Amino acid sequence: MRDLHCHILPGVDDGSHDMKESLAMFDAARKAGVTSITCTPHCRKPYFDYLPMWRAYKEFEKEVHAIDPSFSLQMGFEVNYHMLMKLGMEWAERLHFDGSNEFLLELSVGASPSRFGDYERTIFELQGMGYDVIIAHPERYVAVQKDINLARELVQMGCKLQASADFLKGGRFGKERRPALKMLKEGLYTYIASDAHDVSHYGCLSQAMDKWGDLLYS
């Protein structure tokens, strides 16, 4: 099982604080059945620091491969839309998942449905550059909670949707469970990821994967 969105790198954002915690998260991930991890530190204020994030990845990779040389790791970023606009689209080349054309894009939590036109243009531009756009946790966005058609439109545009596993507990803001279950039932999600910021989130991942399986085969 691949975990393509997590904040497991030590000391670079609001996830793991140090290498000890990162390795505890890695252990929890393996116990949850994860066999591949894409590390996705935040690309947004106030956390983004490109070179230190890459250094943290290399240090983490060294520690992980000392434990399990065959474990698959990949570097990427969770790229906030506003930060991408500030940096410029040329930064997409540095921010996609290393070794693949996948690009994890975070939209604005409180954006109104009318703002989705701005996202549309950026998504089409990324796709035109050859990137496979993955939308992080759409269940978290107020606009999607109000109008599930926006999630359907993202899929119709060719985006892949990623649920964050803590939706079963209500998610980060307490309102994610209902829209996430609706999107799961409709088959709108391509991925469930831990979005792990600490060890406990890997327990959420196991539960969410079980729920997804129950819905698929019910």
Side-chain angles (χ1 to χ4, degrees), residues 2-10 12-13 22 25-26 36-43 53-54 56-61 64 71-79 95-98 104 194 196 202:
R2 180 187 183 197
D3 185 14
L4 60 70
H5 178 180
C6 64
H7 299 272
I8 198 169
L9 296 183
V12 295
D13 61 11
S22 294
M25 290 171 69
F26 172 63
S36 172
I37 291 176
T38 302
C39 307
T40 55
H42 285 297
C43 176
M53 286 175 168
W54 261 103
Y57 171 75
K58 291 297 184 182
E59 292 167 3
F60 179 62
E61 182 182 46
V64 165
F71 194 89
S72 177
L73 285 177
Q74 182 183 36
M75 180 60 174
F77 293 89
E78 180 187 7
V79 185
L95 299 173
H96 67 89
F97 290 1
D98 188 46
L104 182 64
S194 71
Y202 281 105

Side-chain angles (χ1 to χ4, degrees), residues 127-172:
Q127 290 171 334
M129 296 166 72
Y131 296 113
D132 188 8
V133 179
I134 302 167
I135 303 297
H137 41 61
E139 69 279 358
R140 193 174 294 176
Y141 306 137
V142 172
V144 172
Q145 292 171 3
K146 291 180 177 178
D147 184 2
I148 205 76
N149 281 319
L150 293 173
R152 298 186 185 109
E153 289 172 9
L154 288 168
V155 172
Q156 289 167 4
M157 289 167 58
C159 297
K160 296 176 179 176
L161 307 187
Q162 169 255 305
S164 288
D166 64 358
F167 73 82
L168 284 174
K169 296 182 177 180
R172 186 68 55 84

